[in-house]
Amino acid sequence: MSSHSSSNPDTLSYEQAGVNYDLIDPLKVAAQRAAAATATHLSGHGFTEVAASRGESAYVVDVGPFYIASIVECLGSKALVADEMAELTGQSYYAGIAQDTIAMSINDLITVGATPLVVQAYWAAGGSDWFGDKLRAKALVDGWKAACDTCGVAWGGGETPALAGIVEGGRIDLASSCTGIVNPKSRLSVGDHLQAGDAIVLLSSSGIHANGLSLARKLVERLPNGYMTPVAPGLSYGEALLAPTTLYSPVTEALAAAGLTVHYSANVTGHGWRKLMRHRADFTYRIRRLAEVPAVLKFLQREAGLDARGAYATFNMGAGFAVFVPPEDAERTVAVARKAGVDSWIAGSVEAGPRRVVIEPLDIEYAGNELGVRL
């Protein structure tokens, strides 16, 4: 099995793009410890935390007849691509950017079995002038509402600060939070029921989604035509990067309505397919069937000089979400997902063994300690 990335000096690394998890993770560890110590405050209100949800993609509280789940996520740097493309094309891409921002929180929330109920917006601009572009502002509002409609959630409100001196002028920092409900309680999915023999069903991605954009933007420096470089006939690099992130809650809601039990879920975001081993237990996740890789991700892998191990450890490579289900439910899970509008396939299975992901067609594997610190 291959155990290292390419030594090619032309390879573009994530650290070169300004992201170094070795510097970030110590803070995350400290935050985890401090956060865990605050759980006792819930008892004063008659509630308790679901301890197994700590470190998962959403935090869960037991309020008696049901569970409440919550999450906050930021978009990251994808808005910078939209800004650059607007200058090049004169078009606004902020309707898609709005969907990306909501997807970052909703796609995490649903991993614990929650139905999204309320989304809140955080739009922090580098100055009041940002909001003066009426077409861009309208696209952001319209796209935000459309994503809420797709997921059946209420847009509760938000915050629109002008933070000159904190956020760069002409830029905006976007984030969303989401609150959901796990009802009935049997829908809770924090990995308690994950077991050897479960099938791994992957749901297709629409492109890069909103992870890996720091590296994708860094790559522009190497491209003679920058964002206008074609990645497929009639499709520029910038346009391909801006394909909106798939919203997966219609699938998870359809699975629940069909009476299908999900033992665990993973949102394939940062750390790529390593996210398949997000659960803390010692299981081996054996992948036998790969996704169809979107053109933009093939282009990124080639132009950034990434080998397969590096690419699948960084990008979603065509799979944006994973559900782990009993093997007898796998085919029906695929059918329900496809009916809900998202392509899916049975990619592999869960096995007893050391915590790792094995991607057989590529002859590569990732060990459990490669996933990093979760918060």
Side-chain angles (χ1 to χ4, degrees), residues 35-49:
T38 67
T40 55
H41 297 316
L42 290 170
S43 62
H45 305 288
F47 305 136
T48 57
E49 75 169 3

Side-chain angles (χ1 to χ4, degrees), residues 35-356:
T38 67
T40 55
H41 297 316
L42 290 170
S43 62
H45 305 288
F47 305 136
T48 57
E49 75 169 3
V50 176
S53 71
R54 284 205 173 271
E56 292 299 328
S57 293
Y59 180 62
V60 184
V61 176
D62 189 341
V63 297
F66 49 81
Y67 298 109
I68 290 177
S70 59
I71 178 67
V72 60
E73 276 286 348
C74 74
L75 172 67
S77 63
K78 192 166 183 176
L80 296 178
V81 181
D83 293 342
E84 295 295 330
M85 284 296 290
E87 291 184 10
L88 292 169
T89 68
Q91 301 178 43
S92 174
Y93 296 88
Y94 269 82
I97 288 295
Q99 178 172 320
D100 288 313
T101 309
I102 287 180
M104 292 297 283
S105 61
I106 281 185
N107 289 348
D108 270 356
L109 185 89
I110 61 176
T111 62
V112 298
T115 298
L117 290 182
V118 180
V119 162
Q120 310 281 6
Y122 178 77
W123 303 344
S128 302
D129 290 349
W130 195 95
F131 301 101
D133 184 328
K134 293 181 180 179
L135 289 178
R136 181 173 57 187
K138 184 178 186 302
L140 180 59
V141 170
D142 290 348
W144 199 274
K145 180 184 181 298
C148 288
D149 290 342
T150 297
C151 297
V153 301
W155 177 1
E159 174 74 353
T160 54
L163 301 179
I166 297 177
V167 177
E168 185 178 344
R171 306 298 189 190
I172 192 165
D173 179 30
L174 299 168
S176 65
S177 66
C178 189
T179 302
I181 185 172
V182 183
N183 187 28
K185 281 183 151 182
S186 59
R187 279 190 61 179
L188 182 68
S189 175
V190 289
D192 295 352
H193 303 295
L194 184 67
Q195 57 190 344
D198 280 349
I200 304 171
V201 175
L202 295 180
L203 308 183
S204 65
S205 73
S206 54
I208 195 171
H209 285 187
N211 293 94
L213 269 298
S214 293
L215 191 151
R217 289 189 301 106
K218 186 71 173 176
L219 179 61
V220 172
E221 298 173 7
R222 297 187 177 187
L223 304 177
N225 295 314
Y227 285 114
M228 302 310 293
T229 303
V231 299
L235 181 66
S236 72
Y237 181 53
E239 289 170 327
L241 289 177
L242 290 169
T245 303
T246 303
L247 297 162
Y248 293 108
S249 63
V251 173
T252 54
E253 289 302 293
L255 293 175
L260 290 164
T261 300
V262 175
H263 284 174
Y264 194 63
S265 299
N267 187 13
V268 182
T269 54
H271 299 293
W273 285 40
R274 289 178 290 175
K275 275 287 174 66
L276 297 178
M277 59 177 170
R278 186 176 177 87
H279 194 285
R280 290 185 177 87
D282 288 334
F283 289 113
T284 292
Y285 304 88
R286 191 170 300 277
I287 300 299
R288 300 181 179 88
R289 184 180 173 194
L290 301 179
E292 176 63 31
V293 180
V296 67
L297 296 180
K298 291 179 182 177
F299 179 87
L300 261 167
Q301 179 182 351
R302 182 179 70 250
E303 296 299 323
L306 295 173
D307 61 12
R309 178 178 171 79
Y312 278 79
T314 305
F315 304 114
N316 67 62
M317 300 305 283
F321 200 84
V323 291
F324 303 84
V325 299
E328 62 271 19
D329 290 342
E331 291 285 359
R332 191 166 169 224
T333 297
V334 168
V336 169
R338 289 177 176 172
K339 188 175 181 180
V342 178
D343 192 22
S344 67
W345 65 97
I346 302 170
S349 59
V350 180
E351 300 177 356
R355 185 170 172 236
R356 59 180 181 158

